[in-house]
Amino acid sequence: MNSNKFKSTLKYFLPSSYQLKLSVTNIFTRTLFILLVYLSYFLILSQIPEQMSYRLELALLLTSAFALILYLPIIERLTRYIRTRFLSEYLTEDAESYRQAIKRFNFDALVKNVFPDMVKITGSHSGTMGVLTQNGTFAFHSYFRGRQKKLSPTKDITVKTSFQSFLLSKRNGASVAETYSYENINNDFMELHANYIYPFIFREKLFGFIAVSNIPNSEATHSLSLLAGQSALTIHNHILSYHISENKKYQKEAEYAVRVQNLLETGTIPELLGWKITAFKRTSRNLIEFFQVEDGSWFFVILNAGKSYQHIGIILSYILGVVYSQSRLRILKGFSDIKALIQSTFQKLDWKENYEMIIGKIGHSELYIVQEGKQFRITRNSEEVVASMGWKNMINMDKGPIIIQQRGEPVLKFSYEEPEIK
């Protein structure tokens, strides 16, 4: 035990492998820059006649010009190349570097940086990534020994429903050895030239997968699980962002909303000791999301747009996706952070209509709720109102369950029973 504690303490003070590689890269490129400048200075100085006035000053001026105009851009480009070739913030054990990388984890970063890194994690020489598109099909990107390209539409691989169901059942990845008894699934593996496939799953929906030529070890699989979860969320938000930008005037047909309806379901309700949480049938005007913040506390958000547009759920789901992703990165800390994030996201979408929300925190045996809007009512025993608008309300659960209603229709029900001590 003391040995493990000593190792963790020593690891805290020593630089991570990423920091060490980054330092070596910086030292190498800067040393090279200094050597080039010195060599240029002496070379220029040797070409200037000794009897010439201001000989040293002229050599210094010319060297400075070469360093700024020629050498500095070359060194910066070399530094970027080395970092791209040998370093990856997504694979580092350095928490701060990984945190900064995840903040920049968008769809372009997934394709250009994270996908090659996932192939490298597994030790594979080749890999294929399937990404769910806006119309429900899959687009494919390939990586082979350092070269990356997007497969043309004529070469797109059909992802059959049976194959998607298989991947959904294999949340922790599947090797080709598990498919020998399933001829169709085995053929899908062969079509992808894959020995191992890891799915990107969010809210019980398949948003993509990576197929590689090598079966990774347990440590590599753990790294894949972290990146795959964030990849699924990134693709989800990318699809919703696309639909929002295409329909910024909120005039899209109802058939479009049906096509993406399965993306907009209420998030998974957590199982907490002593608590029973029930979600009732929702409408397209409100959405619910549960998530944890930095200190591990469970929060929930109910959003209501106040309008009955068929596709309004796209807007709300995008906003809750932003909140959920920020909570996964442990950026949110409490009520004020969540409220400010929701308000700023509505502003970025140029939303002009009214909207209402409830932000709640699940405590030990009580609920803390902030209510914004008149359409919501938080009651106990169908009549007793237990929360006021604009205030942070603490609701004790020892007097019975409470129900959150929106225009008289139940949305969520919370019950609490003190667990028995065995």
PDB file of all heavy atoms in Angstrom, residues 1-11:
ATOM      1  N   MET A   1       0.834  -1.199   0.000  1.00  0.00           N
ATOM      2  CA  MET A   1       0.000   0.000   0.000  1.00  0.00           C
ATOM      3  C   MET A   1       0.871   1.253   0.000  1.00  0.00           C
ATOM      4  O   MET A   1       0.650   2.206  -0.726  1.00  0.00           O
ATOM      5  CB  MET A   1      -0.928  -0.029   1.211  1.00  0.00           C
ATOM      6  CG  MET A   1      -1.954   1.094   1.227  1.00  0.00           C
ATOM      7  SD  MET A   1      -3.210   0.833  -0.056  1.00  0.00           S
ATOM      8  CE  MET A   1      -4.245   2.262   0.220  1.00  0.00           C
ATOM      9  N   ASN A   2       1.923   1.231   0.892  1.00  0.00           N
ATOM     10  CA  ASN A   2       2.837   2.369   0.953  1.00  0.00           C
ATOM     11  C   ASN A   2       3.595   2.529  -0.345  1.00  0.00           C
ATOM     12  O   ASN A   2       3.913   3.649  -0.753  1.00  0.00           O
ATOM     13  CB  ASN A   2       3.812   2.175   2.116  1.00  0.00           C
ATOM     14  CG  ASN A   2       3.108   2.268   3.463  1.00  0.00           C
ATOM     15  OD1 ASN A   2       2.109   2.971   3.571  1.00  0.00           O
ATOM     16  ND2 ASN A   2       3.617   1.567   4.464  1.00  0.00           N
ATOM     17  N   SER A   3       3.893   1.394  -0.979  1.00  0.00           N
ATOM     18  CA  SER A   3       4.604   1.435  -2.257  1.00  0.00           C
ATOM     19  C   SER A   3       3.761   2.123  -3.324  1.00  0.00           C
ATOM     20  O   SER A   3       4.265   2.962  -4.083  1.00  0.00           O
ATOM     21  CB  SER A   3       4.962   0.016  -2.701  1.00  0.00           C
ATOM     22  OG  SER A   3       5.555   0.035  -3.980  1.00  0.00           O
ATOM     23  N   ASN A   4       2.461   1.797  -3.380  1.00  0.00           N
ATOM     24  CA  ASN A   4       1.570   2.439  -4.358  1.00  0.00           C
ATOM     25  C   ASN A   4       1.428   3.921  -4.081  1.00  0.00           C
ATOM     26  O   ASN A   4       1.377   4.750  -5.000  1.00  0.00           O
ATOM     27  CB  ASN A   4       0.189   1.765  -4.327  1.00  0.00           C
ATOM     28  CG  ASN A   4       0.229   0.339  -4.829  1.00  0.00           C
ATOM     29  OD1 ASN A   4       1.093   0.002  -5.637  1.00  0.00           O
ATOM     30  ND2 ASN A   4      -0.683  -0.486  -4.357  1.00  0.00           N
ATOM     31  N   LYS A   5       1.353   4.278  -2.785  1.00  0.00           N
ATOM     32  CA  LYS A   5       1.234   5.692  -2.424  1.00  0.00           C
ATOM     33  C   LYS A   5       2.487   6.456  -2.817  1.00  0.00           C
ATOM     34  O   LYS A   5       2.418   7.594  -3.313  1.00  0.00           O
ATOM     35  CB  LYS A   5       0.987   5.808  -0.918  1.00  0.00           C
ATOM     36  CG  LYS A   5       0.687   7.231  -0.484  1.00  0.00           C
ATOM     37  CD  LYS A   5       0.354   7.275   1.003  1.00  0.00           C
ATOM     38  CE  LYS A   5       0.030   8.714   1.422  1.00  0.00           C
ATOM     39  NZ  LYS A   5      -0.293   8.779   2.878  1.00  0.00           N
ATOM     40  N   PHE A   6       3.660   5.815  -2.622  1.00  0.00           N
ATOM     41  CA  PHE A   6       4.920   6.464  -2.998  1.00  0.00           C
ATOM     42  C   PHE A   6       5.000   6.672  -4.508  1.00  0.00           C
ATOM     43  O   PHE A   6       5.423   7.731  -4.985  1.00  0.00           O
ATOM     44  CB  PHE A   6       6.092   5.609  -2.517  1.00  0.00           C
ATOM     45  CG  PHE A   6       7.438   6.124  -2.972  1.00  0.00           C
ATOM     46  CD1 PHE A   6       8.013   7.246  -2.371  1.00  0.00           C
ATOM     47  CD2 PHE A   6       8.113   5.501  -4.024  1.00  0.00           C
ATOM     48  CE1 PHE A   6       9.246   7.726  -2.812  1.00  0.00           C
ATOM     49  CE2 PHE A   6       9.330   5.981  -4.458  1.00  0.00           C
ATOM     50  CZ  PHE A   6       9.905   7.098  -3.843  1.00  0.00           C
ATOM     51  N   LYS A   7       4.538   5.648  -5.263  1.00  0.00           N
ATOM     52  CA  LYS A   7       4.567   5.759  -6.727  1.00  0.00           C
ATOM     53  C   LYS A   7       3.649   6.866  -7.213  1.00  0.00           C
ATOM     54  O   LYS A   7       3.999   7.623  -8.120  1.00  0.00           O
ATOM     55  CB  LYS A   7       4.150   4.421  -7.354  1.00  0.00           C
ATOM     56  CG  LYS A   7       5.186   3.326  -7.224  1.00  0.00           C
ATOM     57  CD  LYS A   7       4.693   2.034  -7.860  1.00  0.00           C
ATOM     58  CE  LYS A   7       5.718   0.918  -7.715  1.00  0.00           C
ATOM     59  NZ  LYS A   7       5.233  -0.360  -8.308  1.00  0.00           N
ATOM     60  N   SER A   8       2.450   6.960  -6.627  1.00  0.00           N
ATOM     61  CA  SER A   8       1.516   8.010  -7.049  1.00  0.00           C
ATOM     62  C   SER A   8       2.046   9.388  -6.700  1.00  0.00           C
ATOM     63  O   SER A   8       1.879  10.350  -7.460  1.00  0.00           O
ATOM     64  CB  SER A   8       0.152   7.790  -6.399  1.00  0.00           C
ATOM     65  OG  SER A   8       0.260   7.862  -4.990  1.00  0.00           O
ATOM     66  N   THR A   9       2.721   9.509  -5.529  1.00  0.00           N
ATOM     67  CA  THR A   9       3.312  10.794  -5.139  1.00  0.00           C
ATOM     68  C   THR A   9       4.442  11.170  -6.086  1.00  0.00           C
ATOM     69  O   THR A   9       4.555  12.324  -6.527  1.00  0.00           O
ATOM     70  CB  THR A   9       3.841  10.717  -3.698  1.00  0.00           C
ATOM     71  OG1 THR A   9       2.787  10.319  -2.830  1.00  0.00           O
ATOM     72  CG2 THR A   9       4.385  12.075  -3.260  1.00  0.00           C
ATOM     73  N   LEU A  10       5.289  10.189  -6.413  1.00  0.00           N
ATOM     74  CA  LEU A  10       6.395  10.445  -7.330  1.00  0.00           C
ATOM     75  C   LEU A  10       5.884  10.819  -8.713  1.00  0.00           C
ATOM     76  O   LEU A  10       6.408  11.734  -9.364  1.00  0.00           O
ATOM     77  CB  LEU A  10       7.279   9.194  -7.414  1.00  0.00           C
ATOM     78  CG  LEU A  10       8.594   9.333  -8.216  1.00  0.00           C
ATOM     79  CD1 LEU A  10       9.507  10.349  -7.551  1.00  0.00           C
ATOM     80  CD2 LEU A  10       9.291   7.979  -8.324  1.00  0.00           C
ATOM     81  N   LYS A  11       4.825  10.140  -9.153  1.00  0.00           N
ATOM     82  CA  LYS A  11       4.243  10.427 -10.465  1.00  0.00           C
ATOM     83  C   LYS A  11       3.664  11.832 -10.519  1.00  0.00           C
ATOM     84  O   LYS A  11       3.658  12.483 -11.569  1.00  0.00           O
ATOM     85  CB  LYS A  11       3.152   9.393 -10.772  1.00  0.00           C
ATOM     86  CG  LYS A  11       2.593   9.479 -12.177  1.00  0.00           C
ATOM     87  CD  LYS A  11       1.607   8.361 -12.420  1.00  0.00           C
ATOM     88  CE  LYS A  11       1.070   8.422 -13.830  1.00  0.00           C
ATOM     89  NZ  LYS A  11       0.091   7.346 -14.093  1.00  0.00           N
TER      90      LYS A  11
END
